[in-house]
Amino acid sequence: MTCLLAPRRWLIARHIAKDAHAVLLLDRAGWHTTGNLRWPKNITPILLPSRSPGLNPVEQVWQYLRINFLSNRVFDNYQDIIDSACDAWNSLISQ
């Protein structure tokens, strides 16, 4: 699982200004907490408390999308799910 995060953290590190430092907010998924991860010197990971989705900004976005666009619906097929999720996301970013 670390293969997904590994390239991203180094890519992020390359885009941080030379005199700046970044902080990444992460949940406690196993691939975020493994001791095998090495972090660039210009990034500090901050792990959110366990079982605290209310503190995770991404969870807030998903909750908003579910409540306002995706809940209480029946989808005819997989493509309808994808289309509805894309429409919901596009509505969110256009606000």
Side-chain angles (χ1 to χ4, degrees):
M1 291 292 183
T2 58
C3 61
L4 295 176
L5 184 58
R8 292 182 188 154
R9 67 179 185 272
W10 296 102
L11 178 65
I12 292 168
R14 288 198 305 259
H15 287 82
I16 299 169
K18 289 186 185 240
D19 58 344
H21 191 87
V23 173
L24 287 182
L25 214 61
L26 303 166
D27 61 17
R28 291 190 178 265
W31 48 89
H32 295 156
T33 59
T34 178
N36 295 332
L37 285 180
R38 292 171 40 108
W39 288 93
K41 291 182 180 181
N42 60 346
I43 296 178
T44 298
I46 295 181
L47 297 173
L48 294 171
S50 297
R51 296 177 181 84
S52 60
L55 298 177
N56 189 338
V58 170
E59 295 295 338
Q60 300 300 314
V61 171
W62 283 118
Q63 180 178 2
Y64 177 83
L65 292 176
R66 281 191 301 270
I67 290 170
N68 292 286
F69 299 102
L70 302 172
S71 63
N72 299 319
R73 296 184 57 190
V74 176
F75 300 99
D76 292 329
N77 54 47
Y78 178 76
Q79 190 59 47
D80 284 348
I81 297 170
I82 298 299
D83 292 343
S84 295
C86 289
D87 290 344
W89 182 258
N90 289 333
S91 295
L92 176 68
I93 62 174
S94 68
Q95 293 181 7

